[in-house]
Structure formats: structure tokens, C-alpha cells
Amino acid sequence: MKTAGPFKLFSIICGCLLVAFVASAGAVQAAEAPKAPVVIKSDGAKMAPVTFSHEKHSKVECAKCHHKDADSPKACKTCHDIKDVKNNAPKIQDSFHKVCQDCHKAEAAKGTKAPTKCNECHKK
């Protein structure tokens, strides 16, 4: 039986390392969600602030809410302004209501317990 020469062995090892590097480079780890609930409030809002728990929403893909930066989430107000449409991003309240209400209604329609009334999220 003929053994592999040093160049062939070196090539095989390099090939394996290259495959391992490419495979690991494709694995992106998402940022860890805050452990404490986040209080969402707007100055001058008519309704009470909303306390949002990332933990309760852990089965929801981060990109569902953090649609532009799911791998390194930033506060919504980074892109969404309180008073105006900014760079084609809807006002923050409009964005929250669209994303949250659509998801909650869809989950409730499937029989999952999800708040669908204003005062179920905006608790005094």
C-alpha cells in the first residue's frame, strides 16, 4: 500500500481547515436579548407605557421586530422617530402598532393567548 506524500497530506489538512473556517464564518450569533423588561413610552402619549418582555417573546425571530439589524439590535428610536416619518421609517408608534397588533391578532386567531385590546398592553 502506498502512503500519501507530505504535499498530499499538507493539502488535505489545509482543505479541512478551509472548510472548517468557511463553515464557522457563516454562523452568525445574534445579540443576547435584555433580561429585564423594556418600558416603551413616548412623551405626550395618551396611553400608559408598554412594558415589553423579550423573554415572553423568545419564540419570535428577532428580525420580526428588529427587521434591519437583527444580528446587532438597536433601540427602535434609532430609526423610527416619535413625531415624523424619518428616512422612510414610519413613526415609532405606527411601527409598534403595526408589528405588535398584527402579530398578536394572528396569534390569537391561532388560539394562542395574546393581548389584542389596548389596555392589555398599555396597563395603567
Side-chain angles (χ1 to χ4, degrees):
M1 181 170 159
K2 190 174 178 183
T3 59
F7 181 74
K8 189 171 185 178
L9 186 57
F10 177 76
S11 297
I12 291 170
I13 291 171
C14 286
C16 289
L17 289 173
L18 180 63
V19 169
F21 174 77
V22 170
S24 67
V28 176
Q29 288 187 339
E32 192 171 316
K35 303 248 184 276
V38 176
V39 177
I40 302 168
K41 62 181 178 177
S42 296
D43 293 335
K46 294 175 186 173
M47 299 293 289
V50 172
T51 301
F52 179 84
S53 168
H54 282 89
E55 187 175 69
K56 286 183 181 178
H57 293 84
S58 63
K59 293 181 182 174
V60 178
E61 289 289 325
C62 299
K64 182 91 171 176
C65 300
H66 297 280
H67 53 99
K68 299 265 183 187
D69 57 4
D71 295 328
S72 59
K74 297 172 187 69
C76 299
K77 64 184 176 183
T78 304
C79 299
H80 299 273
D81 192 63
I82 292 173
K83 296 181 180 179
D84 300 307
V85 172
K86 181 173 117 182
N87 297 327
N88 292 326
K91 292 189 305 183
I92 199 165
Q93 180 181 0
D94 296 341
S95 184
F96 281 136
H97 283 147
K98 172 85 175 118
V99 172
C100 300
Q101 289 177 355
D102 286 357
C103 188
H104 286 188
K105 287 175 184 176
E107 289 300 309
K110 290 191 270 182
T112 304
K113 185 179 178 188
T116 56
K117 295 180 181 157
C118 300
N119 63 357
E120 292 175 327
C121 291
H122 294 276
K123 297 178 181 178
K124 292 182 181 183

